[in-house]
Amino acid sequence: MVTGGGQGIGRAIALRLAAEGAHLVLGDVNLTGCHETAQFIAEEGGAPAEVFAADVSSEEQVKNLMARALGLQDRLDILVNNSGIAGPTAPIEEITLGEWEDTMAVNLRGVFLCCKHAMPIMKVHRGGCIVNVSSVSAKRPLVQRTPYAASKMAVIGLTRTLAAEAGPWGVRVNAVCPGAVAGPRQDQILQAVSRRTGESVEQLRQKKAAASPLQTLVDPEDVAGVVAFLCLPDARAVTGQDINVSAGAVMY
Ligand SMILES: NC(=O)c1ccc[n+]([C@@H]2O[C@H](COP(=O)([O-])OP(=O)(O)OC[C@H]3O[C@@H](n4cnc5c(N)ncnc54)[C@H](O)[C@@H]3O)[C@@H](O)[C@H]2O)c1
């Protein structure tokens, strides 16, 4: 299962896992995007992907999503908690309680709910793999994005503790921390900065890329490759980790 598989990083993860032979369930509020992802999977010869509407911040909807996934396969081997929102960009005193809670609801409560309702299913078969999509913003400051950074740091705390709790059941739990990933979200961020500073989007993109040792933005497929590794038997001794996929921009 991949949440938020309707576009961006989630779509790349879904395509990669399908290429590795996974039978996918996509849960998202963006159904049109998920149907497109399912279509791409079919065109690439993957097993038919199922698409379900689910807002990960709603316990009812997450329960329903897990029940439907279980109905299809009678098991759940992989859960990728990728759904996330950027939250507000503003000094903390200008951020409303509502904006804080909305960001936490998707980025943190959503991960909690999906893990909570996936674990009983994984425990039945004494095995499974959970990958939570955090961010390098969990590790280094992202000015004016306090709710986002806090939510992503909390995901690392949840990942480590659940890894310790789930390990005896054969369930591995890891996080990936992408840096600046090329795609629609990055374009929106660069456009917003460009409006504020007057620098062109292209200049800003180059500056951002140059800030990493590999001097590049990260592609969604780069994140998907690391997620796939974490889900494969090659990573059978890897749990409780938060792995940066940031072209070296963050090294801890
Ligand atoms: N793009 C980046 O530079 C970057 C960097 C670090 C981490 N991330 C993280 O990677 C993940 C994916 O990012 P992206 O850039 O592909 O974002 P995106 O905005 O392009 O896609 C996010 C997906 O999550 C879905 N989603 C949003 N709210 C939801 C909800 N309540 N319930 C279910 N699904 C919901 C959206 O419909 C969309 O399909 C996010 O968790 C994001 O925070 C992104």
Side-chain angles (χ1 to χ4, degrees):
M1 177 179 299
V2 178
T3 69
Q7 65 180 52
I9 298 173
R11 171 173 289 173
I13 293 171
L15 286 167
R16 177 62 194 269
L17 292 180
E20 297 286 347
H23 185 157
L24 281 161
V25 176
L26 307 174
D28 202 324
V29 288
N30 173 8
L31 285 186
T32 312
C34 281
H35 283 297
E36 250 174 43
T37 305
Q39 179 65 32
F40 291 139
I41 290 173
E43 284 166 11
E44 290 181 12
E50 307 291 338
V51 174
F52 294 126
D55 177 341
V56 294
S57 67
S58 153
E59 183 155 31
E60 256 337 282
Q61 293 189 34
V62 169
K63 262 169 133 169
N64 212 2
L65 176 66
M66 294 298 165
R68 293 172 87 173
L70 194 58
L72 288 171
Q73 288 284 315
D74 200 33
R75 58 185 297 136
L76 178 65
D77 300 305
I78 295 169
L79 166 66
V80 182
N81 286 311
N82 163 79
S83 286
I85 58 172
T89 301
I92 198 165
E93 63 272 26
E94 289 173 21
I95 291 173
T96 66
L97 182 57
E99 288 172 323
W100 169 269
E101 285 179 344
D102 288 349
T103 311
M104 289 293 164
V106 180
N107 293 5
L108 182 57
R109 191 204 302 165
V111 176
F112 161 70
L113 289 174
C114 290
C115 290
K116 172 181 158 78
H117 292 287
M119 274 307 295
I121 308 174
M122 290 182 168
K123 277 181 172 178
V124 171
H125 294 282
R126 296 194 75 87
C129 175
I130 297 176
V131 181
N132 297 324
V133 180
S134 175
S135 167
V136 291
S137 310
K139 300 184 175 184
R140 65 168 190 197
L142 184 58
V143 174
Q144 299 199 347
R145 296 277 297 281
T146 44
Y148 181 78
S151 69
K152 293 297 184 180
M153 183 77 213
V155 165
I156 293 180
L158 187 153
T159 300
R160 290 180 186 169
T161 298
L162 185 57
E165 203 175 299
W169 296 91
V171 177
R172 296 184 296 106
V173 189
N174 290 291
V176 288
C177 298
V181 177
R185 182 187 284 201
Q186 199 55 237
D187 293 345
Q188 279 167 13
I189 293 168
L190 294 177
Q191 279 153 12
V193 179
S194 166
R195 281 194 294 274
R196 242 189 7 252
T197 62
E199 278 182 280
S200 77
V201 166
E202 216 27 62
Q203 270 173 330
L204 290 165
R205 198 190 309 280
Q206 278 169 17
K207 239 190 201 169
K208 209 162 203 179
S212 71
L214 293 176
Q215 308 210 315
T216 179
L217 293 183
V218 173
D219 284 327
E221 292 72 21
D222 299 325
V223 180
V226 175
V227 171
F229 160 71
L230 288 169
C231 296
L232 287 165
D234 282 346
R236 66 185 176 276
V238 181
T239 196
Q241 305 304 304
D242 38 274
I243 299 179
N244 301 321
V245 190
S246 67
V250 172
M251 299 190 179
Y252 51 90

